[in-house]
Amino acid sequence: MTVTDDPRLDNGPDTDDEPAIPITSGALAADDAARLATSASTSADQTDPDAADDEPVASFASMLRPALAAGLATSAAGLVVGGIFASWLARGLGVFAAALGAGWALYAARSPRASVAQGVFPLMLLLVSALSLVTAPGGPGELPTLVGDAIDAGRSIRPPVPFDPGWRVLIIMVIGTIGFAAASIGITYGRPKLAIVVPLPLVGLASITQPESEQFIAGVCAFLPVLAAIGVLFGGDQDDTGELDRSFEAKRLVRGLIAGIPLVAVLVALNSASFLFPEPVFDPDDKPQKPRAAPLAAAEDRVLFEVSTGASLTGPWRVGALDVYEDDNWLIPGFNQDRLVEVGDDGAITDLRAGDTQLSVTITVRDLGDSAVLPLLGGTTQVATDADVVYDPRMTTLRVPSGRAPAGLVYTLQLPDYPSAEQLEAVDREPGSELSDQLLVPEAPDEVLDLLARAPSNPWLRLDLLRNELLSVVTVSGAGAPVAVPPSKVVELLSGETGTPFEIVAAEALLARWAGVPSRIGFGFDGLNVEDELSTVRPRNAAQWLEVWFEGYGWVPLIGAPAKAESSLDSDPNARYNPTIEPSSDV
């Protein structure tokens, strides 16, 4: 009987009644051996070293594409943020930070200890930030101070903001973190489209704070990297990537660049039409602002500027004015870049009294902090300097076009001497309509109307009487921080109540307007300190004073002190500073 004739080979599994038949057929043994050999051969092929090497390469390629797309999109944010400083160094640092963040996310995803690599990232970012300060004053040890100084400057300086060392740290930390987060979303969570979207809010936010000179560059920097990121992400199917050689990728890149040329041309046209950066419907800078005061105790005692002159002028050195009275508060007028006037080669800023005998005062800037405003004397007709400066006719202030006033800047002022009381009394012309804003005031209280009823009709004499009535009875006390001064407060001061230096000056300004004389509150510094044969001005010279407008003379500073003050200042129009009394304990 042959093996194939045995019926038990075609039945089900063996049972206890019918034990399994031992393999005795050479043909069956040969078949089983062949199957085992085939199985062993297949296993060997699957574990071939070359095949094992192919798997990591494919995994890396699938991770590289979303990481590169996230890095490009984040670099757009870095480039646009750098435009706030109008600095290619800042832009380059932004691109570096984007690459650093996206690259570390790729490294963490490939690392066998992914969670450890991710946890180390903030420390690595902090280390790189500290190393960026090696060339900064104070070095990495001053990191917190430098960052704080940079933030303070950014709050007070209009773009372009100076690229202070502290901004290096902020750019690396912020852009690097966004790049890491975007790439992690694309790689780890498999959301490459979302990875491109993550940096876009920062791109939009930074775009609206670009200086006018950088708006076109910002548009290009925002557009092209994002376009490249989209091209990287959607440029080809990931499954077919391994079949494409480098020449194909290079050709596709060249075609993409050529196709981008007309898109850039469209971008230029849109920018010229103010489509990308339109004029704002509402500009908060145009709205009058409340002044902010900083206690002198918080101000670093330093030389702000030096003064050299053969004249007897000692101030006041104006850096601004409050000329809007609204809701019982004196406010700084809204700022409009369009009203700034470039100072020409002749240095002339006004024709008013330009034909009178001129005094010469030279100012050397030492450390004005983050201010762009240069101290100016009332009545200045001409400014001579090698630096680029602009003039604000509304505030009658001088300033650098952007950034902070640099240390070492030297400029010379030409101005006539301040008018005397007799000269102001001789003015018989009413102020023009252009000064109507400086006459806006609520209705005068009855107590002030009684004073006006017995005051002379001459504007100067009328103003002089009201001021003398106030300064002869009020007692000065306290700091000079700006506060609300309603008409009722003026009545209190006229009755002999105590007032701060600011309240008294604000009351004088209200009385002037009720007398029909345009007025405002000037602020800045007053007086000089003699140090090593140099005349200097320091924060302790901070002051505020009354300024009034008289036709033919412009804005005239009037500095006076109450009779009941501990010390007094001259109350004539050409008042001098008395260092025994401080008009204000606030800057």
Side-chain angles (χ1 to χ4, degrees), residues 198-235:
V198 167
L200 296 186
L202 181 58
V203 174
L205 182 64
S207 296
I208 64 176
T209 56
Q210 296 293 306
E212 186 175 353
S213 60
E214 304 297 315
Q215 289 181 354
F216 170 71
I217 298 176
V220 173
C221 289
F223 176 73
L224 292 184
V226 174
L227 181 65
I230 295 174
V232 166
L233 194 58
F234 300 102

Side-chain angles (χ1 to χ4, degrees), residues 384-388 410:
T385 180
D386 294 332
D388 292 333
V410 180

Side-chain angles (χ1 to χ4, degrees), residues 47 131 136 198 254 282 299 309 315 335 357 363 367 376 385 389 426 429 441 470 501 522:
T47 58
L131 291 176
V198 167
V254 172
F282 171 74
T309 178
F335 180 81
T357 301
I363 296 177
D367 186 359
L376 192 69
T385 180
V389 294
R429 287 176 293 171
V441 68
L470 173 68

Side-chain angles (χ1 to χ4, degrees), residues 149-163:
D149 291 343
I151 293 175
D152 289 340
R155 289 172 177 168
S156 57
I157 299 179
R158 302 175 189 279
V161 177
F163 191 53

Side-chain angles (χ1 to χ4, degrees), residues 56-109:
V57 171
S59 177
F60 178 77
S62 65
M63 293 180 181
L64 179 61
R65 188 177 292 273
L68 184 58
L72 286 169
T74 308
S75 70
L79 288 167
V80 178
V81 167
I84 297 174
F85 310 95
S87 166
W88 284 105
L89 175 61
R91 293 187 179 101
L93 195 60
V95 173
F96 165 76
L100 181 64
W104 194 272
L106 179 61
Y107 162 74

Side-chain angles (χ1 to χ4, degrees), residues 170-520:
L170 294 172
I171 286 180
I172 292 174
M173 296 293 289
V174 173
I175 303 299
T177 300
I178 292 176
F180 178 79
S184 297
I185 290 173
I187 299 171
T188 306
Y189 299 99
R191 304 292 298 275
K193 298 177 184 177
L194 182 59
I196 295 179
V197 175
V198 167
L200 296 186
L202 181 58
V203 174
L205 182 64
S207 296
I208 64 176
T209 56
Q210 296 293 306
E212 186 175 353
S213 60
E214 304 297 315
Q215 289 181 354
F216 170 71
I217 298 176
V220 173
C221 289
F223 176 73
L224 292 184
V226 174
L227 181 65
I230 295 174
V232 166
L233 194 58
F234 300 102
D237 190 279
Q238 294 183 8
D239 295 335
D240 299 333
T241 302
E243 303 175 4
L244 303 178
D245 57 16
R246 293 184 178 179
S247 62
F248 177 85
E249 295 287 351
K251 291 178 182 178
R252 186 169 62 185
L253 176 61
V254 172
R255 289 198 298 268
L257 292 175
I258 294 175
I261 293 176
L263 295 177
V264 173
V266 171
L267 187 66
V268 173
L270 293 176
N271 182 71
S272 301
S274 298
F275 177 79
L276 295 177
F277 300 96
E279 291 295 327
V281 176
F282 171 74
D283 186 353
D285 286 340
D286 283 341
K287 183 177 177 61
Q289 305 287 330
K290 287 186 178 182
R292 292 183 300 171
L296 278 176
E300 177 188 356
D301 186 26
R302 64 193 189 276
V303 175
L304 302 175
F305 55 94
E306 297 171 0
V307 177
S308 175
T309 178
S312 58
L313 292 171
T314 60
W317 316 99
R318 182 199 301 124
V319 296
L322 313 179
D323 75 349
V324 176
Y325 186 75
E326 186 177 282
D327 297 329
D328 299 337
N329 287 282
W330 285 95
L331 308 176
I332 299 174
F335 180 81
N336 189 335
Q337 193 82 23
D338 294 337
R339 77 172 182 234
L340 299 181
V341 179
E342 291 187 9
V343 178
D345 295 336
D346 60 356
I349 60 176
T350 180
D351 295 332
L352 202 62
R353 302 188 69 194
D356 294 0
T357 301
Q358 303 290 298
L359 307 175
S360 181
V361 179
T362 299
I363 296 177
T364 303
V365 174
R366 291 306 178 198
D367 186 359
L368 290 175
D370 295 326
S371 176
V373 180
L374 302 170
L376 192 69
L377 286 166
T380 297
T381 61
Q382 190 176 30
V383 179
T385 180
D386 294 332
D388 292 333
V389 294
V390 292
Y391 179 68
D392 186 343
R394 168 75 179 262
M395 298 280 281
T396 56
T397 54
L398 196 67
R399 59 188 300 141
V400 294
S402 62
R404 59 171 64 90
L409 189 153
V410 180
Y411 57 102
T412 299
L413 309 178
Q414 300 290 330
L415 70 155
D417 202 354
Y418 293 134
S420 65
E422 290 75 15
Q423 289 175 308
L424 296 179
E425 184 180 350
V427 175
D428 56 2
R429 287 176 293 171
E430 295 294 327
S433 58
E434 69 277 5
L435 293 167
S436 58
D437 288 345
Q438 285 73 36
L439 283 169
L440 290 177
V441 68
E443 184 178 350
D446 293 338
E447 292 82 353
V448 175
L449 292 175
D450 292 341
L451 289 175
L452 291 172
R454 56 186 177 85
S457 60
N458 180 273
W460 166 253
L461 294 179
R462 188 164 61 243
L463 171 62
D464 190 51
L465 182 144
L466 295 179
R467 290 182 68 238
N468 285 333
E469 287 286 340
L470 173 68
L471 298 178
S472 63
V473 296
V474 71
T475 301
V476 62
S477 176
V483 294
V485 182
S488 59
K489 182 62 181 179
V490 179
V491 175
E492 293 177 6
L493 296 177
L494 285 171
S495 64
E497 296 287 339
T498 300
T500 67
F502 180 85
E503 289 174 330
I504 294 172
V505 173
E508 287 185 279
L510 286 173
L511 289 171
R513 292 192 178 187
W514 283 322
V517 178
S519 66
R520 65 186 187 182

